[in-house]
Amino acid sequence: MLYRYLRRLSKLARRWSLPTLLPIGKQHKIPQGSTFFAEKEAHVFFGYYDIDPISPDGTKLLACRLKEGSVLEIGYFELDNPTRPYRVIGTTIAWNWQQGCRARWGGPGHGSTIVFNGYLNDRLCAISYDVETGDAKAISTVPLYAIDEMFRFGLTLDFGRLFRFRPGYGYSSVAEQRFPDDTAPRGEGVWLVDLSTQAKKLVVSLKELADFYGKDDEALYHYVNHLDFVPNSTRIQMFHIVSREGAKGVVRLITADRGGGNLRLIASDLRASHYTWMDDRRVLVTGLAPDKRCHFDIFDEGTGAKVAALGDIFTEDGHPSAVTDFGWISDTYPDKRQRQHLYYANTRDRQRKTVASFHSPGEYRGDERCDLHPRYSRQKRAIVVDCIVDGYRAMAVIPFDAENAAQDSR
C-alpha cells in the first residue's frame, strides 16, 4: 500500500512542483525565428557551455546523438535545413551527459575539422575529422579537455579519477589506473599536450596543488576539473577540488603559467562553480559565498582583486558566457515551476532580461540533468542551448544579437 502511494506521489510531483503545488508550464517560450534540432526517440545534445557548436562558416551545427546503449554518435546538422538528416562522422565511448565528448570545430586553418574524444586504433584519444575529405586521425594519445585558440596545444587530466569523484564530468570508460589510493599524487594533475608531436607534459601536479592549498590532511583527496587556456594569454586555468571521498568539498579557481609556474588563486572567498572571461584580464566567477548565497563577482586575474561585486543582484547560479566586455548570457537551474530561463545580463544597469524559457521535466535531475548550457555563436548572431523536447534531449538555436542587447541597456 505504501509503495503504491509513493508511486502516485512521484507521478504527481512530475506534474506539479511540490511542495508549493504550482502548475507546471510544459511549453517552451522562445523568440520568433528559433529552430529546434531533434530526432525521434533519440537524445540530441552538445554538452558544456564553453565551446561554440556552430561551424566557423556558420553552416553546420555540431551535435551528439544517443539512440540507445552507451555508444555516442558524433555529427552535425545543416543549419539552413533542419529537416536534412543528421550526418554521423564518428562514435565514441568517451563522453558524459554534462560535457558530451568535448567536441569542437577546429581553430585557424582548421575550419572544416571536428575534434572529439573518441576511440581509434584500439585506444582512447583525441580524434580530428575533416568533414570535406572524410579523413580521421589521432592528434593526441589521450582524450583532451581543452584546446588553445591557435590549435597548437591541448590540456588534459585523469578522466578516470574525475569520474570517480564527479561522475557527471569524467568518463566511465576510463579506469583510474594510476594512484587510486594517493590523495594528491605527484604523477597526476594537469597535462599540456603538443598537438604537432602528441608529446604530453605534466605541468601542474596534484601534489603541487595540495601544497598550494596548504592544509595537511591525509583524508582530503585532490583532483582537477574545468581546464582551459586564459584568452590570448600564455596562462592556463583549472578548478582545484579538495574533498573527502563522497563529499563536494572545496572548489578553487587557479591560474598558472602554461609551463605550470606562478600559481594564482582567484576568487578566494567563493566556492567556485562557473566562470567566463570578460576580456583578457577580467574573469566573471559564480560560486557559493560565505553568506551561503550564490554570487556573481568579477576579478582581476593579474592581482586577484575583486573589481565588481554583483552578489546582491545575481543570486542564482548558472553557466555564464561573456558576449561583450560588460555583458553576458547565462541560464538558471529549474525553478519551482520546473522552468529554466535563458537571460542576458550586464554590469551597466545590473539587470537581467529573459531571452527564452524552457520546461525541464522532473526526471532530468542529478548527473543526468539537462542544463541549458547557453553558447554564443562566433558569428555573434545566435545562442545555442540544450533542452528537452517530447521527452528527449534536443538543441535549440535562438537568434540573439549581443550588440542590440547592449544598446538596450544604455
Side-chain angles (χ1 to χ4, degrees):
M1 181 68 104
L2 178 61
Y3 174 74
R4 292 179 181 175
Y5 172 77
L6 291 175
R7 281 182 58 86
R8 291 181 60 188
L9 185 62
S10 176
K11 291 180 180 180
L12 180 64
R14 290 191 177 99
R15 297 180 56 194
W16 297 79
S17 181
L18 299 178
T20 56
L21 292 180
L22 297 173
I24 295 171
K26 295 187 177 181
Q27 297 299 315
H28 300 319
K29 297 179 180 179
I30 58 176
Q32 185 175 3
S34 300
T35 305
F36 286 100
F37 291 83
E39 296 218 336
K40 187 177 181 180
E41 297 184 354
H43 291 291
V44 171
F45 70 106
F46 184 68
Y48 220 43
Y49 71 103
D50 57 342
I51 302 175
D52 178 12
I54 295 180
S55 61
D57 64 6
T59 65
K60 301 177 181 64
L61 179 68
L62 185 57
C64 304
R65 183 174 72 178
L66 184 71
K67 291 184 175 181
E68 59 182 1
S70 60
V71 177
L72 189 73
E73 294 174 319
I74 316 302
Y76 60 85
F77 293 96
E78 300 288 347
L79 279 170
D80 62 349
N81 188 354
T83 62
R84 190 171 296 169
Y86 174 80
R87 180 181 173 185
V88 179
I89 60 100
T91 61
T92 182
I93 56 174
W95 67 278
N96 55 59
W97 287 119
Q98 296 307 304
Q99 301 193 335
C101 57
R102 301 298 289 167
R104 71 192 68 217
W105 292 97
H110 302 269
S112 64
T113 297
I114 295 172
V115 173
F116 63 97
N117 291 334
Y119 199 79
L120 190 65
N121 298 327
D122 297 325
R123 70 179 303 165
L124 289 172
C125 58
I127 297 172
S128 171
Y129 178 91
D130 192 311
V131 298
E132 294 181 352
T133 65
D135 293 336
K137 64 179 181 180
I139 61 170
S140 169
T141 59
V142 292
L144 295 176
Y145 195 101
I147 300 176
D148 69 357
E149 294 178 349
M150 299 307 296
F151 234 62
R152 295 174 180 170
F153 293 91
L155 293 172
T156 192
L157 47 73
D158 185 341
F159 283 97
R161 188 179 183 92
L162 183 56
F163 178 79
R164 172 183 171 185
F165 293 103
R166 293 297 303 275
Y169 297 88
Y171 296 156
S172 61
S173 56
V174 180
E176 185 190 13
Q177 298 176 348
R178 293 161 51 89
F179 322 111
D181 300 321
D182 195 332
T183 58
R186 295 180 182 274
E188 197 51 76
V190 180
W191 297 79
L192 183 71
V193 182
D194 186 327
L195 301 185
S196 63
T197 64
Q198 301 191 20
K200 65 173 187 173
K201 177 184 177 182
L202 181 63
V203 292
V204 181
S205 74
L206 295 180
K207 180 61 168 64
E208 289 177 275
L209 290 172
D211 292 341
F212 187 57
Y213 183 55
K215 293 184 180 180
D216 188 11
D217 186 339
E218 293 183 356
L220 294 176
Y221 282 84
H222 298 257
Y223 62 103
V224 288
N225 198 3
H226 301 310
L227 311 181
D228 209 345
F229 293 87
V230 174
N232 300 321
S233 171
T234 58
R235 291 178 64 75
I236 60 177
Q237 61 197 21
M238 68 207 74
F239 276 174
H240 169 217
I241 306 170
V242 186
S243 70
R244 286 175 168 77
E245 191 88 44
K248 288 186 176 180
V250 175
V251 184
R252 302 169 1 122
L253 175 58
I254 305 291
T255 63
D257 292 338
R258 186 170 293 200
N262 195 17
L263 296 177
R264 295 175 190 164
L265 172 62
I266 312 298
S268 60
D269 60 343
L270 293 180
R271 181 185 184 276
S273 179
H274 306 98
Y275 59 78
T276 185
W277 290 84
M278 307 303 293
D279 52 37
D280 293 352
R281 191 175 178 102
R282 296 177 305 133
V283 58
L284 170 67
V285 185
T286 77
L288 189 66
D291 62 7
K292 304 301 181 183
R293 297 190 309 168
C294 177
H295 282 209
F296 280 65
D297 294 330
I298 299 177
F299 297 85
D300 184 307
E301 191 271 339
T303 65
K306 185 184 298 183
V307 296
L310 308 172
D312 57 332
I313 302 296
F314 302 101
T315 58
E316 290 183 84
D317 199 5
H319 305 88
S321 290
V323 295
T324 68
D325 59 0
F326 61 88
W328 68 91
I329 56 172
S330 190
D331 58 349
T332 67
Y333 292 104
D335 61 19
K336 293 180 180 180
R337 297 179 185 268
Q338 295 189 2
R339 307 292 299 181
Q340 295 170 286
H341 305 283
L342 168 65
Y343 67 86
Y344 166 78
N346 66 83
T347 58
R348 284 180 171 170
D349 58 16
R350 298 165 67 89
Q351 298 292 324
R352 82 180 200 188
K353 178 181 179 181
T354 299
V355 177
S357 179
F358 298 83
H359 170 60
S360 174
E363 58 266 31
Y364 285 95
R365 297 295 182 266
D367 291 333
E368 296 188 5
R369 67 187 179 277
C370 182
D371 297 333
L372 297 181
H373 287 153
R375 316 152 194 106
Y376 191 45
S377 71
R378 70 194 82 204
Q379 290 83 16
K380 303 183 183 301
R381 295 197 300 265
I383 299 171
V384 182
V385 301
D386 293 342
C387 58
I388 302 298
V389 174
D390 295 331
Y392 288 87
R393 284 174 166 82
M395 295 173 68
V397 177
I398 300 167
F400 181 80
D401 187 325
E403 293 302 321
N404 289 339
Q407 291 291 332
D408 293 342
S409 67
R410 290 183 185 274

